[in-house]
Amino acid sequence: MIETARSLALAGRVRDAGRLLRAHLAEDPANAELRQAIARIYRETNHPEQAGRYEFFLTRSSRAERAAYLDLSSRPTLMKHGSAS
């Protein structure tokens, strides 16, 4: 499933990749492997705010990604879940 999502993202289907992994994450929100996979996809497709979102509480997230996410989340209008494409 993670490799399928990665293939989707590399084919330009980042939204579909995120949806696939988030569906599994909804069943197991504490799954660090899935959070890292989602963050990796967003990081590799130039969406640092989303990478920071999914790795916020994991030690692997970078300061820049956490800052990007916090900046995004402090705006009056938040991005809809999965709006990065």
Side-chain angles (χ1 to χ4, degrees):
M1 163 229 354
I2 291 173
E3 283 306 313
T4 299
R6 184 166 165 66
S7 295
L8 287 168
L10 292 174
R13 297 175 56 195
V14 178
R15 181 173 287 168
D16 293 334
R19 248 186 230 131
L20 174 64
L21 294 178
R22 285 191 311 270
H24 290 279
L25 189 63
E27 297 170 11
D28 185 8
N31 188 321
E33 181 182 9
L34 280 175
R35 287 189 172 279
Q36 290 170 351
I38 294 170
R40 187 178 321 112
I41 285 170
Y42 284 128
R43 187 177 299 113
E44 291 172 353
T45 56
N46 200 31
H47 296 285
E49 73 288 348
Q50 293 301 318
R53 174 184 187 178
Y54 287 98
E55 280 196 332
F56 193 82
F57 295 107
L58 301 176
T59 58
R60 295 187 63 179
S61 65
S62 74
R63 177 182 282 214
E65 290 168 351
R66 288 190 304 270
Y69 173 64
L70 289 174
D71 179 57
L72 177 70
S73 65
S74 67
R75 295 181 190 168
T77 304
L78 293 175
M79 291 175 64
K80 289 184 177 181
H81 188 63
S83 65
S85 55

